[in-house]
Each structure stands twice: as structure tokens, then as C-alpha cells.
Amino acid sequence: MSTHTTRFKAVIFDLDGVITDTARYHYLAWKRLADGIDTPFDEAFNEELKGIHRMGSLELILARAPRAFDADEKLALADAKNRHYQELVATMTPKDLLPGALEALEQVRAAGLRIGLASVSKNAFTVLDRLGIRDRFDDVVDAATVRRGKPDPEIFLTAAAHLGVAPADCLGVEDAAAGVASIKDAGMFAVGVGDPQVLARADRIIRSMEEFDLFAY
Ligand code: B16
Ligand code: MG
């Protein structure tokens, strides 16, 4: 049974796959790109791209392509993928919040904790605006300022520093294996949202954000 106390001082959320299902849009945009260059791409492979930044994801896809691409071609491909992704994001509304996500933000706010966002997506601010929830975060890390993406702990450590909270007092929420690794290597408690096998390093696993309960960790 949970009590209404928590040892944490801040909760740092991932965006894609935790707050909203932009993971689906990333998949669709990468899929169209991969099909265009005769490269195999499916949902299982897409799982490996979750939480990985744009150029890193492209490199993983191109490793399976039938030919090599030079630096200019790679930039053009990444640009094309991003334009398609942004077209998909432009259709988003507050209805695209994942079930339980808003309630989780409200629960953390009501408990008086600080709230951060740690997304490696350079489109995170746009997505938050489409969802109408940007002002619910005390800090949103600007992905353009992060040198090492997930699984490196830099982005979660940056969020904690911005919030003025020690990493050990932070709880991180992630849907991707790379993201859970980032949280754990930052010295934080990790709640994984999704498949227990994929998220084996998480301290606790929930199937969806509807199960999120700050007072149970
Ligand atoms: P962009 P997260 C990540 O966001 C996605 O999971 C990943 O699939 C994507 O490639 C990455 O953002 C970069 O996104 O192309 O918009 O800069 O999970 O860290 O919120
Ligand atoms: Mg994610």
C-alpha cells in the first residue's frame, strides 16, 4: 500500500513514448526514408532507435543499406526525415497525450516536486506546445545543448542541475533501453514504461503511464 510521501525531490520525464507517442511518428518518418533507399526497416528495428538522436539513428539505419552514403547525402536524408516528422507533429493536439501522462504531471506537481523534461529530440519544444503542456515543466533541456545523447547520462544530469536537485533525489521515467541506461548511469531511480525485457535495468516497470504512482517508489 502506498502512502502519500516520497523521498524524491524531482521527477524527470522522457517525452517520446512517455508523455506522447511521437515514437510512432519517428517510426513512420524513418520507414518512408528507409523504403526510399531500399533498406530493410520494421517495428522491431525501430525499437533500437528509441531515445537515440537523429544522426545516430540514421547511421544505424544506413548500416543496413545496400550502398554507402557520403556526408552531404546523410545530412539530406536526415533533413528529409525531419521534415516528414514535423508534418506529422503539426497534426498533434492535446488529445495526443498518452493515457495517464497528464495525471502523472499533476500528481508530481501536487506533491510539490520539481518537474523536468529530458528529451534528445530537437523538436521537443514544438511537441510540448502542440500538446499544450510546456508550462507544466520547471525545466526542459534544450537537446541542441547536449553533446552526448542517451545512453550517456549527460541529459538527465543536465536536467537535475537545472532543477537544482541532486541526482540521487531524482526519479527518471523512460520508455527506451538507452534512456533507462542514461537514468541509471546518472545515479537516479528509474521507472521504465513498457516491456520488462527491453527495460531490464529499470528499478520499477509499469506497462503504461496510467500505472504511474509517485508514492509507490
Ligand atoms: P529529433 P526522446 C528521441 O526522443 C526519440 O526517442 C528518438 O527516436 C529520436 O530519434 C530522437 O528523439 C531525436 O529526435 O529527430 O526530433 O531531434 O525519447 O529522447 O524524447
Ligand atoms: Mg522515449
Side-chain angles (χ1 to χ4, degrees), residues 43-58:
E43 305 243 11
F45 186 65
N46 185 61
E47 191 65 34
E48 293 176 37
L49 306 183
K50 285 188 181 173
I52 306 297
H53 60 64
R54 198 180 308 157
M55 291 310 282
S57 298
L58 179 65

Side-chain angles (χ1 to χ4, degrees), residues 9-23:
K9 295 186 178 146
V11 179
I12 301 170
F13 294 90
D14 171 43
L15 178 62
D16 296 343
V18 170
I19 301 291
T20 185
D21 192 15
T22 31

Side-chain angles (χ1 to χ4, degrees), residues 13-18 22-23 26-27 30 46 49-55 57 78 81-82 85-86 117-124 127 143 150 155 174-176:
F13 294 90
D14 171 43
L15 178 62
D16 296 343
V18 170
T22 31
H26 282 296
Y27 168 75
W30 285 129
N46 185 61
L49 306 183
K50 285 188 181 173
I52 306 297
H53 60 64
R54 198 180 308 157
M55 291 310 282
S57 298
K81 180 269 176 178
N82 193 47
Y85 177 71
Q86 287 176 335
L117 189 93
S119 168
V120 297
S121 173
K122 296 199 169 87
N123 295 295
V127 171
K150 301 166 187 176
I155 189 162
E174 260 288 350
D175 71 312

Side-chain angles (χ1 to χ4, degrees), residues 151 177 180-185 190 196-205:
V180 168
S182 176
I183 294 170
K184 290 312 299 169
D185 289 345
Q197 286 190 325
V198 175
L199 306 173
R201 277 193 74 193
D203 297 292
R204 295 289 281 275
I205 306 274

Side-chain angles (χ1 to χ4, degrees), residues 189-200:
F189 187 93
V191 173
V193 188
D195 184 340
Q197 286 190 325
V198 175
L199 306 173

Side-chain angles (χ1 to χ4, degrees), residues 3-142:
T3 58
H4 287 264
T5 58
T6 173
R7 67 183 175 88
F8 299 107
K9 295 186 178 146
V11 179
I12 301 170
F13 294 90
D14 171 43
L15 178 62
D16 296 343
V18 170
I19 301 291
T20 185
D21 192 15
T22 31
R24 180 81 201 143
Y25 299 147
H26 282 296
Y27 168 75
L28 291 171
W30 285 129
K31 175 72 179 148
R32 186 158 92 180
L33 177 121
D35 286 350
I37 53 172
D38 300 320
T39 299
F41 190 81
D42 57 19
E43 305 243 11
F45 186 65
N46 185 61
E47 191 65 34
E48 293 176 37
L49 306 183
K50 285 188 181 173
I52 306 297
H53 60 64
R54 198 180 308 157
M55 291 310 282
S57 298
L58 179 65
E59 293 290 355
L60 290 170
I61 291 168
L62 294 184
R64 296 151 45 115
R67 72 168 178 92
F69 291 81
D70 67 27
D72 286 344
E73 287 178 309
K74 286 179 186 174
L75 280 178
L77 288 172
D79 242 37
K81 180 269 176 178
N82 193 47
R83 278 196 305 275
H84 185 201
Y85 177 71
Q86 287 176 335
E87 280 167 27
L88 298 169
V89 164
T91 68
M92 292 178 78
T93 73
K95 289 202 180 83
D96 291 300
L97 281 159
L98 279 169
L102 195 58
E103 290 76 5
L105 290 169
E106 285 170 348
Q107 186 192 40
V108 176
R109 176 61 74 219
L113 277 67
R114 308 272 285 155
I115 304 179
L117 189 93
S119 168
V120 297
S121 173
K122 296 199 169 87
N123 295 295
F125 289 105
T126 312
V127 171
L128 292 179
D129 286 341
R130 297 296 316 167
L131 295 171
I133 56 165
R134 187 157 163 178
D135 59 358
R136 289 178 182 265
F137 294 87
D138 296 304
D139 181 70
V140 177
V141 177
D142 180 353

